[in-house]
Amino acid sequence: MKIAVAKGDGIGPEIMDAVLKVFDANKIDLKYEFVEMGKWVFDKGFSNGMTPEAQRTIEELGILFKGPMETPKGKGVKSVNVTARKTWNTYANKRVFQSLHGVDTVFSKAAIPIDLTIVRENIEDTYGGIEHMLTHDVALSRRFITRPGSMQVIRYAFEMARKKNARRITCGHKANIMKLTDGLFLDCFYEVAKEYPELKADDKIVDDLAMKLVVSPDEFDVVVLTNLQGDIISDLCAGLVGGLGFAPSANIGDHISIFEAVHGTAPDIAGRNIANPTALLLSGIAMLRHLGLMENAAIIENALLYTLEQGVRTGDFGDRSKPALNTTEFADAIISNFGKTPQMGAKEVLPNKKITPTVFKLEKNPMMVSTEMQQEKIAGVDMFIESSEQPEVIAQRCVHHGGTKFRLINISNRGTQVWPTGSRYTNLVNLYNVRFEGLSEQALTQLDIIGLYVTLCAEFKIASFELLNMWNDKKAYSLAQGQ
Ligand code: NAD
């Protein structure tokens, strides 16, 4: 079996060398093809942070084991970590957080065990990075949440929960505010939940979830969230079990999967051989299991747990009165403990499975469509207009543009209605959302919308517009606050 390996930037090469040293010492039947990815590849002029050969190798082998990679600061350059996850559709980011014996935390001291898995959607949400300046004062980020994308990751979370005999699966969301985006994610969650009656499925608003995870983390088992909320909540969970040095992550897709640590390149300690390789090693252990290398995974994990139990530590954790080992010495300590069994959390050493890696040769991009066509009708349009005038002046100047087809319904600013009713205490910015609806029951056409656009733009700068669709009798758009 062969996998692609990218060492990464900052502490990446140091911790990757330490992990591969542990793998090699365990005589794992695995070959590595090193690929060029990371900040240094950007610097060589490859704008997506990887060479075409690296892309080809990863697509051929289907598994990438990677160190952290730096995203160059400044405009126009996207994170290679996010590019990799999105390009290869590794839609589920699975992060396991477990109390580790020997790693003291508030919870371990209170004898509260933590065994939590966060499944974070990995492709969509604000991570699309689709952003525009609508005026010099107003930036817009488009947050895509899709039904097929949500179904894919939620189904993965339920399957994983079933396999791990989980008692509970929780959806974290903000559907009380983002009714269409997070509402869609939550609907998908309960739709999939029907197929898993043995699992207790519930949901929590993400702020409440954050508080409850800190107060009583042992009540949770599997939590599934959208991308940004999942990112924040999983770092919170890393803190519960001892910090970023102990947080592994697997990015799972149908064709390609990526294994990496949650933490970044730690530029503050890079090049000193003092970083903690545990998170990357735990990610590597998850990869070995994914590849069926159960025996190697269990021996290495038991050795790691045993090492931690002995109080062996790198500088970022543990009993400060004991000397800290450097990265290489820590790896050597793990190697010296192969065959030892930890007191807590020992893994059963099962034989390796014979898994023949499947190589997927895709001729076309997979198209994911999950919803039936519903009866659609254009009911109106939101015109986003740049202006620093007062709402009633905008209304006066807009109302006649409706002509025989449109009626001016309301005007809002940053999502709050300011006309026909509103409050003088609502602060304004120079971008209004002027909502027009069709005058008759008859559906509007796209040409009608363009007609309105043409007449309005003679008077205003229109920053963008958005159609107001009706599906059957349901509004496929949100109302303004106060509407
Ligand atoms: P970071 O995770 O690199 O560091 C945060 C803090 O944690 C630092 O004090 C660091 O020293 C410490 N730390 C992290 N990993 C450690 C380890 N293994 N052992 C000991 N201490 C460790 O976060 P950051 O500073 O915000 O980001 C630095 C760079 O990493 C940025 O360019 C960012 O874009 C990138 N990044 C990459 C990934 C990835 O590759 N998946 C993830 C996060 C951040």
Side-chain angles (χ1 to χ4, degrees), residues 11 15 66-73 79-81 85 95 235 244-246 260-269 274-280 314-316:
I11 58 168
I15 54 174
K66 68 176 274 296
M69 292 174 190
E70 181 184 333
T71 304
K73 293 198 179 73
S79 155
V80 62
N81 306 303
R85 293 171 206 155
R95 296 175 172 188
D235 269 28
L244 283 175
F246 301 95
E260 61 180 338
V262 169
H263 62 72
T265 58
D268 49 338
I269 56 167
I274 57 168
N276 181 356
T278 305
L280 188 64
T314 47
D316 56 311

Side-chain angles (χ1 to χ4, degrees), residues 260-336:
E260 61 180 338
V262 169
H263 62 72
T265 58
D268 49 338
I269 56 167
R272 292 164 57 197
N273 195 32
I274 57 168
N276 181 356
T278 305
L280 188 64
L281 183 58
L282 286 169
S283 312
I285 291 168
M287 177 182 71
L288 297 181
R289 292 208 169 91
H290 184 83
L291 294 169
L293 297 165
M294 304 309 202
E295 187 179 342
N296 301 105
I299 292 172
I300 296 174
E301 189 166 358
N302 284 342
L304 167 68
L305 297 178
Y306 183 88
T307 307
L308 294 171
E309 272 181 4
Q310 302 307 303
V312 177
R313 66 183 200 97
T314 47
D316 56 311
F317 74 100
D319 182 351
R320 309 269 147 173
S321 65
K322 287 189 180 173
L325 300 190
N326 69 29
T327 312
T328 319
E329 291 163 345
F330 190 75
D332 290 337
I334 296 168
I335 293 167
S336 70

Side-chain angles (χ1 to χ4, degrees), residues 433-450:
N433 177 6
V434 182
R435 177 164 286 184
F436 290 92
E437 282 182 5
L439 267 176
S440 71
E441 277 301 296
Q442 229 186 338
L444 296 162
T445 65
Q446 296 205 60
L447 279 179
D448 293 331
I449 304 295
I450 298 297

Side-chain angles (χ1 to χ4, degrees), residues 243-258:
L244 283 175
F246 301 95
S249 140
N251 302 281
I252 307 290
D254 289 336
H255 308 112
I256 294 172
S257 295
I258 304 172

Side-chain angles (χ1 to χ4, degrees), residues 86 88-91 121 123-124 145-153 254-255 364-371:
K86 287 168 66 86
W88 295 311
N89 203 50
T90 61
Y91 52 82
E121 196 285 319
I123 311 285
E124 307 188 340
I145 301 291
T146 72
R147 182 181 295 280
S150 303
M151 290 300 269
Q152 211 172 31
V153 66
D254 289 336
H255 308 112
K364 297 195 277 190
N365 289 59
M367 171 62 77
M368 311 187 298
V369 181
S370 70
T371 189

